[in-house]
Amino acid sequence: MEVTEEQKSLFSRIGYLYLPANNIDETIEWYQNKLGFKLKAPKFQDDIGYVAVLTPPEGYVVLLLVETKDHTTADFLRDGRLYQTFTLNCPDLEYTHQSLKGNGIEVTEIMVRGENAKYFVFTDPSGNHIEAAWSVWD
């Protein structure tokens, strides 16, 4: 059966998430040891610096840590406050919260968004804010 132009999708999924890393080796180690991410291949050099490809243990999103000498993060301002750009979904948010705290990661308190979602925020070694979340939509 042939797919018509109207039936074709433009995109299949979100592919990669790029995060700046000031010290790529330290950041790779942190994602592996603190969050359980897997390094998919040795870091490699592009035309500017090093890039590392990681994935969460049970996930499909690919995280690319991109070495930079600039003092920057992937966060943005929302009404004058820093706001994270991505979320890691958690099957058991309370367990994740306690585990990260036990690993010495500073986490916010768990916040509730109505009856359907709850989350907390933590920061990687390069200053990127990350939301850990659970929702009924996961």
Side-chain angles (χ1 to χ4, degrees), residues 18-121:
Y18 291 87
L19 285 182
N22 301 116
N23 180 329
I24 197 156
D25 293 322
E26 174 190 29
T27 306
I28 291 168
E29 185 177 313
W30 187 87
Y31 274 88
Q32 288 178 303
N33 296 334
K34 301 288 187 176
L35 304 185
F37 275 56
K38 307 249 186 273
L39 187 62
K40 299 307 280 184
K43 69 180 181 186
F44 61 91
Q45 194 160 8
D46 66 7
D47 57 330
I48 299 172
Y50 284 100
V51 176
V53 180
L54 298 106
T55 60
E58 297 178 22
Y60 300 102
V61 174
V62 175
L63 174 67
L64 285 107
L65 297 176
V66 180
E67 185 177 49
T68 179
K69 303 291 184 242
D70 299 310
H71 255 333
T72 188
T73 68
D75 302 329
F76 63 93
L77 291 177
R78 182 179 181 201
D79 296 332
R81 294 174 55 197
L82 282 178
Y83 204 81
Q84 62 280 353
T85 58
F86 83 103
T87 299
L88 295 171
N89 292 31
C90 308
D92 184 338
L93 190 71
E94 287 77 10
Y95 170 78
T96 301
H97 190 262
Q98 288 304 315
S99 293
L100 294 184
K101 269 176 101 168
N103 272 331
I105 298 173
E106 189 174 318
V107 297
T108 66
E109 293 300 316
I110 294 176
M111 294 165 259
V112 178
R113 290 183 177 145
E115 295 177 12
N116 297 322
K118 49 189 172 179
Y119 70 99
F120 65 90
V121 178

Side-chain angles (χ1 to χ4, degrees), residues 118-137:
K118 49 189 172 179
Y119 70 99
F120 65 90
V121 178
F122 60 98
T123 307
D124 78 6
S126 294
N128 297 298
H129 289 83
I130 302 164
E131 180 180 275
W134 170 90
S135 78
V136 298
W137 307 290

